[in-house]
Amino acid sequence: MKEGKFLRKGDSARKWYLVIKKDSQREYFNNGKDYIKYRIEFLDNCSYIATITAKTDGKYPLRIGDVITYKVVETDNQFLKVETVNYNKKEEIILEKIE
């Protein structure tokens, strides 16, 4: 999870994908035209916090400075089940590592 390109299970790369490199993360959407950039800090091998540092889509509800917590709760080959917490709202997503 510390580096790579990930797709949300069931989505195409044209709709949404995630790239993690060292201490940064970018979510791309709208066929790669828009993104949200995060500074990330790993807490351990399975969890990290991400702070939004830039974004291109003004309509997206998250704001610069918002913090999201990510925790890998399950793995299966190239798939990861990840729990996210933002504004006290929990969500689980399944990511597929493609690179």
Side-chain angles (χ1 to χ4, degrees):
M1 177 86 190
K2 291 191 175 189
E3 287 202 14
K5 183 176 181 179
F6 302 85
L7 288 178
R8 201 168 20 210
K9 187 175 180 184
D11 280 350
S12 74
R14 295 178 74 201
K15 185 174 180 182
W16 182 93
Y17 64 94
L18 174 76
V19 176
I20 298 175
K21 293 181 181 177
K22 296 191 182 194
D23 62 350
S24 70
Q25 168 179 301
R26 281 193 187 203
E27 288 183 45
Y28 293 91
F29 49 98
N30 192 18
N31 205 18
K33 295 176 186 169
D34 292 307
Y35 67 87
I36 300 174
K37 184 177 179 181
Y38 302 83
R39 180 184 69 247
I40 60 176
E41 177 186 343
F42 281 91
L43 304 173
D44 55 41
N45 284 335
C46 295
S47 59
Y48 64 94
I49 56 173
T51 305
I52 297 175
T53 58
K55 67 180 201 160
T56 59
D57 184 359
K59 297 176 192 171
Y60 199 80
L62 296 174
R63 299 178 309 255
I64 293 174
D66 283 355
V67 176
I68 302 170
T69 302
Y70 291 79
K71 182 177 183 180
V72 177
V73 293
E74 189 177 324
T75 62
D76 182 17
N77 296 320
Q78 78 271 21
F79 292 96
L80 304 168
K81 183 186 279 187
V82 179
E83 178 183 274
T84 64
V85 178
N86 181 35
Y87 289 116
N88 294 321
K89 180 183 171 196
K90 259 186 205 183
E91 181 180 357
E92 281 191 353
I93 56 173
I94 297 177
L95 300 175
E96 178 181 8
K97 186 170 186 176
I98 58 171
E99 288 181 18

